[in-house]
Amino acid sequence: MNQKQSKSFSRLSINSLSCRNYMKHCLISIFLLLSLPVMLLCQVTSIYDIQYTTSPGSGTFPSPLEGQNVTTGGIVTAIGYNDENYFISSSTGGAWNGIFIYDDDYSPSVGDSIVIHGEVYEYNGFTEMKDLSSFNIVSTGNPLPPPSQVSTVTVFGQEAYESVFVEVNDVEVSQTYDEWGEWQVNDGSGSCIISYGFYSLEASNFPLLMDYPFSSIRGVISYSWEGFRLHPRGIFDLQSEQGIFI
């Protein structure tokens, strides 16, 4: 190769390299632009950050993110609340770590880990997420967070446990079925309402008696009619004292 040919080859190599770098730079720029909405969407807000507040508002402690569209995720702890709605929790559970999902477009199972995008909304004082624009199941069959051990008076009046999976222990019936099928139990700290969002004990024709003892009752807490209510998810969440059976 003579000197002239060598210079032409070098010039061609440099131009080719510059072209490849330019194309690579363009492709990276296009990828970043296309990925921007996804990256913004993936700024996940924890359930705790949606729920936690020290401001009472009008008395129902509304979410500080009310009216905002956020992405959050958690483990499905209960399904079929008043038809097709469900609750999710962080994997650790506990105060301020549950939220109600008002949605009948998707049908997750208990134990699913999901990521959703929707609006934080206050329905008569009950914090929920609605109008989902995104729903993804990350994994299935996950263990549920352990139920928070709470007193009956805590169920009755603590905002921190709204939508949280809980358990009350060593309780007795303090009020039998009312006209709506709700009833009350007391562990000595004060009564709380047991309701039928998932399962109705009255509809099962169980003859509930005053002072009937339960060693434990599990469920999820809702807020409606200006009060908190504990909803067992099924008969399996009701455990009678030893020797007394449902």
Side-chain angles (χ1 to χ4, degrees):
M1 182 182 297
N2 59 38
Q3 189 176 7
K4 186 176 180 180
Q5 288 176 322
S6 177
K7 286 182 179 179
S8 297
F9 180 77
S10 298
R11 209 176 288 121
L12 180 61
S13 298
I14 291 171
N15 288 338
S16 298
L17 182 60
S18 299
C19 184
R20 285 198 297 271
N21 286 338
Y22 176 76
M23 291 298 296
K24 181 179 179 182
H25 184 75
C26 287
L27 288 172
I28 290 173
S29 298
I30 292 169
F31 174 77
L32 289 174
L33 286 171
L34 291 174
S35 299
L36 185 58
V38 177
M39 289 188 289
L40 291 175
L41 185 63
C42 290
Q43 293 177 358
V44 177
T45 302
S46 70
I47 295 172
Y48 183 92
D49 286 341
I50 295 172
Q51 288 282 37
Y52 178 75
T53 181
T54 57
S55 174
S58 60
T60 59
F61 291 83
S63 168
L65 303 181
E66 180 184 3
Q68 297 184 33
N69 284 276
V70 302
T71 299
T72 193
I75 306 296
V76 178
T77 54
I79 58 175
Y81 179 79
N82 290 340
D83 295 324
E84 300 299 324
N85 309 297
Y86 48 96
F87 292 81
I88 64 174
S89 167
S90 70
S91 58
T92 56
W96 308 106
N97 273 285
I99 192 166
F100 172 58
I101 312 300
Y102 182 72
D103 164 59
D104 58 6
D105 290 331
Y106 304 98
S107 301
S109 299
V110 171
D112 285 354
S113 174
I114 65 173
V115 175
I116 58 176
H117 185 81
E119 180 186 352
V120 179
Y121 185 75
E122 293 289 330
Y123 182 77
N124 294 330
F126 188 26
T127 304
E128 63 182 41
M129 284 191 66
K130 67 169 190 172
D131 296 336
L132 301 189
S133 59
S134 176
F135 176 96
N136 291 286
I137 296 178
V138 178
S139 59
T140 62
N142 298 283
L144 300 189
S148 296
Q149 308 294 306
V150 298
S151 66
T152 49
V153 75
T154 297
V155 173
F156 178 76
Q158 287 291 326
E159 173 74 21
Y161 289 95
E162 177 187 274
S163 299
V164 174
F165 181 41
V166 303
E167 178 180 287
V168 295
N169 293 282
D170 300 321
V171 300
E172 293 183 350
V173 174
S174 55
Q175 178 184 303
T176 56
Y177 307 122
D178 63 18
E179 59 185 303
W180 298 283
E182 294 183 323
W183 45 290
Q184 298 185 25
V185 296
N186 193 337
D187 62 4
S189 65
S191 291
C192 73
I193 298 171
I194 307 298
S195 197
Y196 50 80
F198 303 105
Y199 170 78
S200 170
L201 190 61
E202 183 183 41
S204 71
N205 296 316
F206 179 76
L208 193 66
L209 303 174
M210 284 292 293
D211 302 321
Y212 185 92
F214 291 90
S215 60
S216 67
I217 299 176
R218 291 182 175 184
V220 178
I221 297 175
S222 76
Y223 182 85
S224 60
W225 302 104
E226 300 183 348
F228 293 100
R229 287 159 163 76
L230 176 58
H231 300 266
R233 300 162 302 166
I235 190 68
F236 52 84
D237 275 337
L238 300 161
Q239 181 63 54
S240 296
E241 287 285 0
Q242 188 172 5
I244 301 176
F245 303 100
I246 292 180

